Amino acid sequence: METPILQPELTTKIADLYRRMEKAYDLVARQLDFTCQGCPDNCCDSYFQHHTYVEWAYLWQGIMELTPAQRQALENRAADYAAACEAALARDERPQVMCPLNEEGRCGLYHHRLMICRMHGVPSSLTFPNGQNKRFPGCFRCQELVAGRQAVPAVERAPLFQELAALEQELLVKQQGTLPKVKKTIAEMILLGPPRL
Ligand code: SF4
Ligand code: SF4
């Protein structure tokens, strides 16, 4: 068994934060009677970059639980994904390529999926310290569902983001300011291996 990248305490904290993100999402989804069931789309082909070492490390803790064959297959899919994204970006297009972790329509590392994956779908909002509020309308199907409604519930992202930022700080306490900023797709995180901390 490989040594976990995160200290057990930090592993517990990020797993707990992820669970609470899921709860906040599920609450709004229930209020809206919204599910992904029957969706003709699969939004795991949306192009996103991710920004924390702590999520990168926790993703790798999931990857380390895969068998060597599963890991090799994942790395092959990640290499294909990276090449397809590079080609799309060279054409000045936003890439639309299925995430290498998606297997037959489902997330292959569901419990380790990143924050952005957990927020996508239902409406959400982000309140800034100055009181300004940014709304995110949710995916196309959710937008169709709530069209014309007056009061639409939303997941408030700010406290969840703040907690993630605190975990990132806790992880990088000794290297604060010495490591490059993270701006990576999941495929890049897979191909690069676990973050070197
Ligand atoms: S990590 Fe999982 S949920 Fe997120 S885009 Fe990839 S397959 Fe989808
Ligand atoms: S989040 Fe929306 S677009 Fe994505 S699978 Fe669910 S219903 Fe479809």
Side-chain angles (χ1 to χ4, degrees):
M1 176 126 176
E2 291 173 78
T3 320
I5 308 154
L6 296 172
Q7 294 295 318
E9 200 185 324
L10 209 43
T11 299
T12 305
K13 285 183 188 173
I14 190 163
D16 176 59
L17 173 59
Y18 275 166
R19 260 193 304 275
R20 282 180 292 112
M21 284 180 183
E22 226 165 272
K23 258 176 106 172
Y25 180 101
D26 288 346
L27 179 67
V28 172
R30 269 202 308 279
Q31 287 168 337
L32 292 171
D33 203 13
F34 169 78
T35 74
C36 291
Q37 229 164 19
C39 179
D41 196 9
N42 187 323
C43 44
C44 294
D45 63 5
S46 308
Y47 182 73
F48 286 119
Q49 287 165 313
H50 307 268
H51 301 279
T52 59
Y53 283 98
V54 71
E55 288 200 287
W56 181 358
Y58 191 65
L59 174 74
W60 258 94
Q61 289 195 181
I63 295 173
M64 288 183 338
E65 288 167 16
L66 300 175
T67 63
Q70 285 171 325
R71 205 197 277 193
Q72 186 58 59
L74 178 63
E75 284 170 7
N76 294 344
R77 290 197 300 274
D80 291 346
Y81 178 100
C85 286
E86 201 180 307
L89 291 169
R91 295 191 300 270
D92 228 8
E93 290 170 10
R94 189 175 174 85
Q96 196 175 6
V97 189
M98 186 50 73
C99 173
L101 276 170
N102 192 292
E103 291 173 73
E104 295 169 11
R106 289 177 174 273
C107 182
L109 279 180
Y110 192 74
H111 296 295
H112 292 261
R113 73 196 193 285
L114 283 76
M115 178 189 66
I116 293 176
C117 307
R118 289 163 197 269
M119 291 288 117
H120 188 71
V122 300
S124 58
S125 62
L126 180 62
T127 307
F128 294 93
N130 65 6
Q132 274 192 344
N133 184 272
K134 187 171 175 189
R135 294 278 299 189
F136 302 89
C139 74
F140 80 99
R141 241 172 124 234
C142 200
Q143 287 183 48
E144 283 171 11
L145 179 74
V146 303
R149 290 198 203 177
Q150 287 298 323
V152 176
V155 174
E156 172 52 39
R157 295 183 179 191
L160 301 167
F161 280 16
Q162 281 158 9
E163 278 194 63
L164 186 65
L167 295 185
E168 180 77 345
Q169 265 189 358
E170 194 176 327
L171 175 67
L172 302 182
V173 73
K174 292 199 188 92
Q175 294 115 310
Q176 204 80 53
T178 62
L179 291 170
K181 280 203 160 80
V182 179
K183 193 178 176 193
K184 303 208 177 302
T185 62
I186 286 176
E188 286 169 329
M189 290 178 169
I190 293 166
L191 293 172
L192 284 167
R196 288 181 198 92
L197 301 166

